[in-house]
Amino acid sequence: MSPTISHKDSSRQRRPGNFSHSLDMKSGPLPPGGWDDGHLDSAGREGDREALLGDTGTGDFLKAPRSFRAELSSILLLLFLYVLQGIPLGLAGSIPLILQSKNVSYTDQAFFSFVFWPFSLKLLWAPLVDAVYVKNFGRRKSWLVPTQYILGLFMIYLSTQVDRLLGNTDGRTPDVIALTVAFFLFEFLAATQDIAVDGWALTMLSRENVGYASTCNSVGQTAGYFLGNVLFLALESADFCNKYLRFQPQPRGIVTLSDFLFFWGTVFLITTTLVALLKKENKEVSVVKEETQGITDTYKLLFAIIKMPAVLTFCLLILTAKVTVYSMYVSIMAFNAKVSDPLIGGTYMTLLNTVSNLGGNWPSTVALWLVDPLTVKECVGASNQNCQTLDAVELCKKLGGSCVTALDGYYVESIICVFIGFGWWFFLGPKFKKLQDEGSSSWKCKRSN
C-alpha cells in the first residue's frame, strides 16, 4: 500500500488550493483561506459546510436528500460487515467462561481481559488506515479485505491449537499467557477492521442517513457477538444439547471451540471474497468525497482534534465512566457519526469510539484484579489460621481445615461502584447536557494558511 493524494475536480470535492495543513484551534473569525460555512464556490461547487459537518442539504441545490430506501443496499452491507466484526468479539468473550469452568483464578482472568484492549488502543494506528491505501482497489477495501482474509486464516490456524492451549488434550491447566497473546492478535485484527468499516460508513451513506451507521454498528455487532458467544456456548454445552437438541444424551456438545473457529474462518474467507468482488468504492457510493491526507498530516489533524474543547470534554467524560445502558450506546454511536469529519473519518470515529471502549475495558480489568484482595475468607477446622494468602490457604488445608468465603469481594465492589456511579452522574452529568447544545463548529478543525 502507498499513500495517495487526490485532488480531482468534482462537484463534491474540496478545493485543493485554499487551505494548508497548519491548524488553528483558536476561536474568533477565520483567517483568509480558512473554513467558511456560508460560502459556495463561484464555479458551482458545494461549500465547505457539507464537506465537513454542515446541515443536510446545505449547499446542495442539485440533488434532493437521499431516502433510506435509496441507500438500503449500503446499509445492509454495513450491517453485514459489523456482524462479521462481532463474531471475533463473541468468541473472545466466551473464553473467560471456559476458563472459569476450569477453576482459573480471577487474577488470570484479569490478565486475559487485556485481549479486549486493542479496541481501546486502535487510535494509535487509525491514521495509517486513513492515509495509506491502494488507490485502484479502494481506500477502505485496501484494509478491510486483507484484514478479513487474515482473520479467516488466523481462525483456521487457531482452531488447530486452541484445544492444546485450553488444556483439553493433555489434562494440564490452560496456558493463559499463550491464550492471551493469541486472542490479543485476534482482537487486533478485528479492531483494524472496525476502523476501516467506521470510516467507510461516513462516506458510504449520505449525511442525512449517516445516523443509520450507528444502528448497523450496534445491531450488527450484537448479532455477531450472539453468534460467537451465546450460540457457541449453547452448542458447546453437553447439558444444553442433551436437553433441547438430542434424543440420546452424549458426553459432549454438538460443536467444540476448534470446530467453531474453523467454520467461521471459512465463512470469513468466502464472504470477504464476495465483498471484494461485488462492492466498489465509486462516486455513486459516496455522497461526501474524502480528500486523502498523508500519514503525517493525518496525525497532525488527530492531535488538533484532541485539543478541541468539545472533543476533549467529551472524551474525558466518557473515559471517566462508561455508560452501560444499551440505548445510550446507540445514541453515542449516532452522535459520533454526526460530528465526525469525513476528511479523516476513520481516525475521527476511532478517537471517539476508543475512549468509549477504554471506559468499559479498564474498569473490568481492575475489577477482576480486585475481587480476590477484597474477598474475606476464614479457615474453618484449624485454630489460629487464616486464608489471607496462598501460603496461608495451603497451611490451613494441611492442618485439616478448609477456607470458607465469609464476604465475597464481588459484593464489596458492587456497593462501592453504586456510590461512585451516583457521585459521577451528580457532578459530571450536567456537562454531558451542555455538550448536546454545542454547535457543529465546536467539533470542526479550523485551518489557516
Side-chain angles (χ1 to χ4, degrees), residues 35-48:
W35 293 108
D36 185 359
D37 289 344
H39 178 68
L40 296 175
D41 287 51
S42 59
R45 296 173 180 170
E46 297 175 4
D48 291 331

Side-chain angles (χ1 to χ4, degrees), residues 151-213:
L151 263 173
L153 294 174
F154 188 75
M155 292 171 77
I156 293 175
Y157 171 76
L158 191 59
S159 68
T160 65
Q161 303 294 323
V162 69
D163 285 334
R164 180 181 61 83
L165 297 179
L166 288 173
N168 295 336
T169 56
D170 51 13
R172 298 180 181 179
T173 58
D175 190 343
V176 177
I177 295 178
L179 279 171
T180 302
V181 172
F183 277 89
F184 185 90
L185 296 175
F186 196 32
E187 297 304 291
F188 172 81
L189 294 171
T192 304
Q193 179 201 14
D194 182 53
I195 298 170
V197 175
D198 283 345
W200 200 3
L202 296 180
T203 54
M204 184 185 297
L205 302 179
S206 60
R207 297 306 287 174
E208 58 267 21
N209 291 326
V210 74
Y212 287 112

Side-chain angles (χ1 to χ4, degrees), residues 25 35 123 226 241 307 326 342 432 436:
M25 304 309 302
W35 293 108
L123 182 63
F226 176 86
C241 294
K307 296 179 182 179
Y326 186 75
F432 270 114
Q436 294 177 355

